[in-house]
């Protein structure tokens, strides 16, 4: 059954007058747990948002098919861990064995997402660039590619989520303001931030990164100066795919039953909202926007009394940012970044 946007909204019966609440006491009571969990989800949003940011910075293209790049990484994680014997219950393995298995799943997820991003650019967008197609054509193609990948998975794997995979039994590490911080949360946040910092340094300091910024600022002049524009474009898509693959591992780690043919759609919208919130085309803005959106979403679902409002909050934030500050919080483009 094909989902519609109506299924994204919380259901309310005709005689239910409390489907929207403003439960401030509950928010205050759960503030710190919502904060730490929001930072965890926000880190995942940030990694995916960086793919949107890089492609937009170089091509001025909103790559709506990036959500499917992400979900292909999720399937890579699922098939790898299923092959290794993981299931709904946490495996009885040593810490070293779990780390090795997760690293293998990470490599497969990165390869799956990066390959998807590469093929997407070569098969969908490169022919349009050769024809100097208008930007609207690129946008329509991105949406079409998204649905093509999504429903190809639907035909192969069906409409139901894949069986849950639990990677390890999460344990509390320390306590902050009466709230336990779990090892799973620390792994996701710290690993995501490290990857974002490495990416930002790569774009700022490496020769390839300077090429990316040059093409983002003025592609014609960059070409005259000896920059291989096609190579830069491919590299940009692949970097976005690598980060999406890493996000896929963290996503399955956080939501064991989250692998589904359309599972990347809502998360992709949130990641896009995060990129716009921080300043699309800005690497640091993707990190800031992702973390803020994770926090806002968690606070919103508690305040409004329904977990489904997390998704609605992402759309509301996106609309408000586009209305009030379309350039985002940081606002600078990739090409003009002084990072």
């Amino acid at each position: 059954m094909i989902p519609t946007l109506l299924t994204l909204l919380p259901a309310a019966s005709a005689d239910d007058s409390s489907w929207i609440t403003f439960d401030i006491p509950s928010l205050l009571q759960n503030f710190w747990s919502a904060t730490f969990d929001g930072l965890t989800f926000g880190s995942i949003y940030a990694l995916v948002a960086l793919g949107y940011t890089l492609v937009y910075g170089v091509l001025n293209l909103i790559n709506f098919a990036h959500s499917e790049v992400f979900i292909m990484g999720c399937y890579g994680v699922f098939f790898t861990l299923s092959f290794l014997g993981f299931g709904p219950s946490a495996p009885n393995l040593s810490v070293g064995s779990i780390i090795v298995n997760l690293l293998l799943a990470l490599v497969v997820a990165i390869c799956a997402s990066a390959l998807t991003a590469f093929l997407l650019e070569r098969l969908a967008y490169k022919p349009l660039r050769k024809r100097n197609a208008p930007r609207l054509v690129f946008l329509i193609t991105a949406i079409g590619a998204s649905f093509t990948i999504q429903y190809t998975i639907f035909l192969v794997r069906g409409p139901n989520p894949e069986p849950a995979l639990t990677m390890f039994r999460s344990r509390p590490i320390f306590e902050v303001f009466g709230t336990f911080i779990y090892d799973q949360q620390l792994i996701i946040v710290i690993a995501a931030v490290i990857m974002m910092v490495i990416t930002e340094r790569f774009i700022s300091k490496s020769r390839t990164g300077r090429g990316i910024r040059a093409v983002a600022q003025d592609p014609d002049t960059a070409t005259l100066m000896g920059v291989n524009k096609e190579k830069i474009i491919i590299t940009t898509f692949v970097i976005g795919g690598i980060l999406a693959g890493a996000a896929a591992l963290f996503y399955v780690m956080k939501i064991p039953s989250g692998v589904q043919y359309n599972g990347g759609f809502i998360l992709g919208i949130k990641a896009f909202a995060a990129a716009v919130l921080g300043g699309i085309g800005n690497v640091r803005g993707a990190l800031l926007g992702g973390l803020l959106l994770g926090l806002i979403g968690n606070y919103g679902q508690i305040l409004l009394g329904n977990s489904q409002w997390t998704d609605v909050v992402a759309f509301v934030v996106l609309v408000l940012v586009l209305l009030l500050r379309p350039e985002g919080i940081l606002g600078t483009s990739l090409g003009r970044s002084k990072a």
Side-chain angles (χ1 to χ4, degrees), residues 295-307:
L295 292 173
I296 293 169
N298 265 28
Y299 295 156
Q301 71 171 347
I302 295 175
L303 183 64
L304 298 174
N306 193 314
S307 61

Side-chain angles (χ1 to χ4, degrees), residues 76-203:
V77 172
F78 172 78
F79 288 126
T80 303
L81 294 182
S82 295
F83 177 78
L84 293 172
F86 285 70
S89 300
N92 187 20
L93 299 173
S94 65
V95 174
S97 297
I98 292 176
I99 291 174
V100 171
N101 289 332
L102 293 187
L103 287 176
L104 179 59
L106 175 63
V107 171
V108 173
I110 285 175
C111 291
S113 291
L115 179 60
T116 303
F118 173 81
L119 293 176
L120 180 67
E121 194 284 322
R122 292 288 92 180
L123 299 178
Y125 301 138
K126 182 181 179 180
L128 298 180
R129 289 202 311 277
K130 286 186 174 181
R131 295 178 175 85
N132 293 318
R135 290 183 183 178
L136 180 60
V137 176
F138 279 89
L139 180 61
I140 295 172
T141 301
I143 296 172
S146 173
F147 280 106
T148 298
I149 297 172
Q150 188 176 132
Y151 286 100
T152 299
I153 299 173
F154 175 87
L155 292 174
V156 175
R157 301 298 302 176
N160 298 321
E162 303 293 344
L165 286 177
T166 302
M167 300 181 187
F168 56 88
R169 189 177 295 106
S170 186
R171 294 181 173 86
I173 301 299
F174 55 86
E175 187 178 353
V176 178
F177 301 113
T179 301
F180 285 110
I181 308 300
Y182 289 83
D183 51 2
Q184 180 195 77
Q185 294 173 313
L186 290 176
I187 290 171
I188 293 174
V189 173
I190 293 174
V193 170
I194 290 174
M195 293 191 71
M196 293 287 288
V197 171
I198 291 173
T199 303
E200 193 269 342
R201 291 291 91 190
F202 173 79
I203 293 174

Side-chain angles (χ1 to χ4, degrees), residues 1-2 75 153-155 157-162 259-262:
M1 182 177 180
I2 298 176
Y75 275 97
I153 299 173
F154 175 87
L155 292 174
R157 301 298 302 176
N160 298 321
E162 303 293 344
V259 183
Q260 190 177 8
Y261 79 100
N262 61 351

Side-chain angles (χ1 to χ4, degrees), residues 44 70-71 73-78 81 109 163-167 184 188 245-260 267:
I44 299 172
F70 161 78
I71 205 64
C74 291
Y75 275 97
V77 172
F78 172 78
L81 294 182
L165 286 177
T166 302
M167 300 181 187
Q184 180 195 77
I188 293 174
L249 175 68
F250 302 145
Y251 177 77
V252 178
M253 185 184 296
K254 184 66 178 174
I255 306 179
S257 59
V259 183
Q260 190 177 8
L267 190 137

